[in-house]
Amino acid sequence: MQEYPVKRTHIKVLPENITAKITEHFGIAPVEKDGWYTLSFGALESMQVKLGEAKKSIIIATVSKQGIEDEQIILDTNKRFRRYLDDVTGYSTKDRVKKAKTVE
């Protein structure tokens, strides 16, 4: 489980973006249960997303499918996941890595 901070400019629309961006990037609507939005796609057995405690971050838990040998499926899933994070958090992959290093 990983918590990702969200840029100030993206916080206002964060609750709507959590689900809207899942549908946009993965092409399926997530199932909501107990505040968690869940989906299964490509190389992901499950991906669960919810709003962080202070409503300024998102928490994501992922479980990968075992035994997938098709590299294209893995790469496509990874690309969609990264683009989803970019859109929802407002931070690029490079920005998220920098932020993670400053926390450690």
Side-chain angles (χ1 to χ4, degrees):
M1 194 175 318
Q2 180 75 38
E3 187 167 8
Y4 298 93
V6 176
K7 267 188 178 179
R8 265 187 286 198
T9 56
H10 287 64
I11 289 174
K12 189 179 265 188
V13 293
L14 182 59
E16 299 84 31
N17 271 353
I18 287 176
T19 56
K21 297 299 180 181
I22 286 174
T23 304
E24 179 182 325
H25 291 285
F26 293 96
I28 55 175
V31 175
E32 193 273 329
K33 184 179 179 186
D34 300 327
W36 287 92
Y37 297 95
T38 306
L39 72 131
S40 178
F41 180 89
L44 290 172
E45 181 76 34
S46 82
M47 178 172 107
Q48 296 179 307
V49 184
K50 81 172 191 174
L51 197 56
E53 293 297 319
K55 298 186 179 176
K56 295 182 179 182
S57 63
I58 57 170
I59 299 170
I60 299 181
T62 58
V63 177
S64 298
K65 287 182 183 174
Q66 300 300 311
I68 293 184
E69 296 179 15
D70 188 347
E71 195 172 299
Q72 284 307 111
I73 292 173
I74 296 168
L75 292 173
D76 179 57
T77 304
N78 192 6
K79 181 170 42 170
R80 289 172 188 255
F81 179 73
R82 284 192 321 269
R83 286 184 178 163
Y84 172 75
L85 284 177
D86 291 351
D87 274 1
V88 173
T89 64
Y91 292 110
S92 68
T93 303
K94 189 175 181 179
D95 294 336
R96 287 193 305 274
V97 169
K98 282 182 187 177
K99 286 188 89 44
K101 285 183 180 178
T102 61
V103 172
E104 293 175 354

